[in-house]
Amino acid sequence: MLHNYKYILISLLTFIFLSCGNETTTPTDHLVFRYNEHKNIGSLDPAFAKDNADNWAINQLFNGLVQMDENLNVQPCIAKDWTISQDALTYSFSLRDDVKFHKHIRFGNDSTRTVVASDFVYSLNRLLDKKLASPGRWTLNKVDTFKAVNDTLFQVTLKQPFPAFLGLLTMKYCSVVPKEIVEHYNSDFRSNPIGTGPFKFKRWEENLKLVFRRHDEYFEIDTHGKQLPYLEAVAITFLPDKQSEFLQFAQGNIDFVSGLDASYKDEILTATGSLRDSYAKDVKMIRGPYLNTEYLAFFMDSEVSEMQSQILRQAINYGFDKQKMMTYLRNGIGIAAHGGFIPKGLPGYNASIGFAFEPEKAKQLVKQFKQETGISNPEITITTTSNYLSFCEYIQRELQKIGIVVNVDVIPAATLKDAKANGKLNMFRASWVADYPDAENYLSLFSSKNFAPNGPNYTHFRSEQFDAWYQEAFTITDTKQREALYTKMDSLVMSQTPIVPLFYDEVVRFTRKNVNGLGINPINMLDLKRVKKSSLK
């Protein structure tokens, strides 16, 4: 009887997959989670998990030693626990003995096998392999050696203390892969992935559809002891633009959309960021902090007087209303940046160390600049891409009210990237999305050792005190102490104004009302193992 039920279930699921775009629901529709990936997917090999599109899919198929919860706390995954040596250099991970790879004929008689520590040795060595040219190689920059002590003990030794290391290991680059399968497929492993995740690979018609099925031997359980995942399948489509994606969502053909695109933001949200009445009945909105700071940057080595003047840089920080900007240009989605460079949602963030909107103070500072320099018409040029033209034009209008002439120069993204790395722009718009969830990632942009083009310090900010604190932070293993130091460092940066933080981004997700357990997190990772869908009445 059970066999017959499974046969019927599989037949119905197949019908759903083949009926892409058909709005008719079936009895098993609530077992399939459907979403669109407008950016396409380049690879399902975790060694090449370089952007959200790849990461979202790979996260369903693979696991690493550790994982991040929705509050950015590192939690056990394949490693059930770990210890860190007193000198903070050696990490010893005790592995679970019940984690199995997805089934594949290359595994032999059982069509699967248990993950052992040597699998992590192989997987991390792949990242270091120059022939493979993984974009994730940098994640191991601070690693000296790693080894399998035995099947269930994996050990990593660092070159220097690095408290953010566990967070780094949560990245999908560091997922475990099986040597015999990778070496069988070689470069075709990208489209024949075998992992340990809650879902297993079923079919990929590139640019059309990608299908995953439930991994029946997945090792994680929920708080009630029920095996994860709850869903039977995941179906991903590849409509190339956000407007078409939103239309599919509005018609009920996909279960969620992520982000707020200009093509539909006014259709679904009011100016203050609430769901419009026409969507409130069928749609849920989930929003929360996203580890992305949008900002303007000054090149501190510029020979232009306006860039050299801390007084004028302060005036620009005080000179426009960021909250008004968020309301008009983002429908209230995003948090006006009145703190420092560390975004809300990340330990070390402090809302009070930045600049509020004070137009009269800004005018006084501009007047002081004119008196001290003899420059009667201070002038700046903000370089940006077309995507952020509306923001820069808003800032342009506001700063002209306090006495600063503002030009806006729009150039292609690739040109801007090259020019800011090589110190060719006096002032530019930029953003920084966390590579890993630790404030050190943000503060690295102000270390004098990281001057662009050899690092991410695009402003060429320099401070001996900051550099000393930055090095000290690596030696502090106490989380609260390190957070307090991060805030001091961020405050020092803001006092010298090499940047103007604009806003801290938010993750926004819209789901159907029958989707539960999707959640949200500040790194915008898609985790479907706890998602449930109820049947539509």
Side-chain angles (χ1 to χ4, degrees), residues 98-197:
D98 59 348
V99 180
K100 295 183 182 299
F101 285 112
H102 303 152
K103 288 188 175 181
H104 193 282
I105 194 170
R106 300 294 297 187
F107 285 127
N109 291 339
D110 295 331
S111 298
T112 185
R113 69 169 174 81
T114 303
V115 173
V116 292
S118 58
D119 290 315
F120 280 100
V121 174
Y122 173 75
S123 301
L124 296 189
N125 272 325
R126 278 189 86 220
L127 295 186
L128 295 174
D129 184 353
K130 291 182 178 177
K131 291 180 182 176
L132 189 70
S134 165
R137 179 186 171 91
W138 66 270
T139 59
L140 302 179
N141 281 350
K142 291 184 170 63
V143 171
D144 185 22
T145 60
F146 46 85
K147 63 181 180 181
V149 178
N150 54 47
D151 280 355
T152 58
L153 186 60
F154 179 66
Q155 205 167 72
V156 183
T157 302
L158 305 183
K159 298 172 186 173
Q160 66 176 82
F162 184 52
F165 180 61
L166 283 173
L168 211 57
L169 286 180
T170 67
M171 297 184 73
K172 300 319 295 180
Y173 290 129
C174 302
S175 302
V176 69
V177 297
K179 179 179 180 179
E180 54 266 67
I181 308 300
V182 174
E183 294 188 349
H184 171 67
Y185 285 112
N186 293 313
S187 61
D188 285 336
F189 185 68
R190 66 174 286 280
S191 54
N192 293 277
I194 294 292
T196 59

Side-chain angles (χ1 to χ4, degrees), residues 5 9 13 28-33 198-199 213-216 218 220-234 516-518 527-534:
Y5 170 77
L9 179 63
L13 287 166
T28 56
D29 190 58
H30 67 286
L31 296 176
V32 183
F33 187 87
F199 298 93
R213 291 292 308 278
R214 185 179 192 272
H215 178 198
D216 290 331
Y218 189 59
E220 287 192 281
I221 57 175
D222 67 14
T223 52
H224 302 291
K226 183 176 173 60
Q227 187 188 29
L228 299 174
Y230 305 122
L231 294 164
E232 190 64 34
V234 178
N516 294 293
L518 181 64
D527 188 351
L528 299 178
K529 64 191 172 195
R530 289 182 174 83
V531 168
K532 290 180 180 178
K533 281 177 66 181
S534 55

Side-chain angles (χ1 to χ4, degrees), residues 248-264:
Q248 287 294 300
F249 175 71
Q251 292 175 347
N253 295 329
I254 58 176
D255 293 306
F256 104 119
V257 291
S258 177
L260 193 65
D261 191 74
S263 65
Y264 61 77

Side-chain angles (χ1 to χ4, degrees), residues 265-486:
K265 69 180 180 68
D266 295 323
E267 161 75 13
I268 195 167
L269 292 184
T270 65
T272 55
S274 300
L275 277 172
R276 292 196 180 276
D277 291 343
S278 54
Y279 286 94
K281 181 185 174 186
D282 301 316
V283 173
K284 286 188 291 190
M285 178 173 67
I286 318 169
R287 60 191 283 190
Y290 177 35
L291 298 189
N292 173 30
T293 299
E294 301 280 343
Y295 66 103
L296 299 177
F298 303 103
F299 185 55
M300 304 290 276
D301 283 341
S302 170
E303 295 179 1
V304 175
S305 298
E306 285 87 342
M307 299 297 101
Q308 291 176 353
S309 170
Q310 187 170 340
I311 292 170
L312 199 73
R313 297 197 304 269
Q314 285 179 346
I316 293 168
N317 268 281
Y318 283 122
F320 61 97
D321 189 337
K322 297 171 186 175
Q323 190 56 59
K324 185 176 165 185
M325 178 180 74
M326 299 310 293
T327 300
Y328 288 141
L329 299 178
R330 293 265 301 190
N331 293 63
I333 301 298
I335 302 150
H338 297 130
F341 192 62
I342 299 171
K344 187 171 183 179
L346 196 60
Y349 164 79
N350 186 301
S352 66
I353 62 175
F355 295 80
F357 176 47
E358 296 188 40
E360 294 308 314
K361 193 166 190 175
K363 288 175 185 174
Q364 277 298 120
L365 289 166
V366 172
K367 185 178 178 182
Q368 185 182 341
F369 171 80
K370 290 178 179 179
Q371 291 171 344
E372 291 182 4
T373 63
I375 297 172
S376 56
N377 290 303
E379 185 172 349
I380 62 173
T381 297
I382 304 173
T383 304
T384 186
T385 58
S386 56
N387 286 354
Y388 287 86
L389 178 59
S390 59
F391 286 89
C392 293
E393 286 180 337
Y394 169 81
I395 294 165
Q396 178 186 46
R397 290 191 299 271
E398 296 298 299
L399 293 183
Q400 284 172 345
K401 294 174 187 175
I402 65 167
I404 301 174
V405 177
V406 180
N407 305 303
V408 178
D409 185 19
V410 179
I411 62 176
T415 308
L416 191 149
K417 184 179 180 181
D418 180 69
K420 76 176 184 181
N422 290 289
K424 295 176 181 176
L425 303 176
N426 291 315
M427 187 177 180
F428 53 90
R429 191 223 63 87
S431 62
W432 190 260
V433 181
D435 289 318
Y436 48 91
D438 190 278
E440 182 274 333
N441 189 218
Y442 284 84
L443 297 170
S444 67
L445 272 71
F446 305 103
S447 165
S448 63
K449 290 183 179 179
N450 288 336
F451 273 14
N454 300 315
N457 187 343
Y458 302 111
T459 63
H460 280 205
F461 172 85
R462 57 170 68 79
S463 161
E464 288 185 9
Q465 178 64 79
F466 181 92
D467 286 345
W469 282 342
Y470 184 69
Q471 291 305 315
E472 183 186 344
F474 288 118
T475 67
I476 299 174
T477 54
D478 181 272
T479 305
K480 292 299 177 187
Q481 277 187 333
R482 199 166 71 252
E483 285 173 24
L485 183 56
Y486 285 160

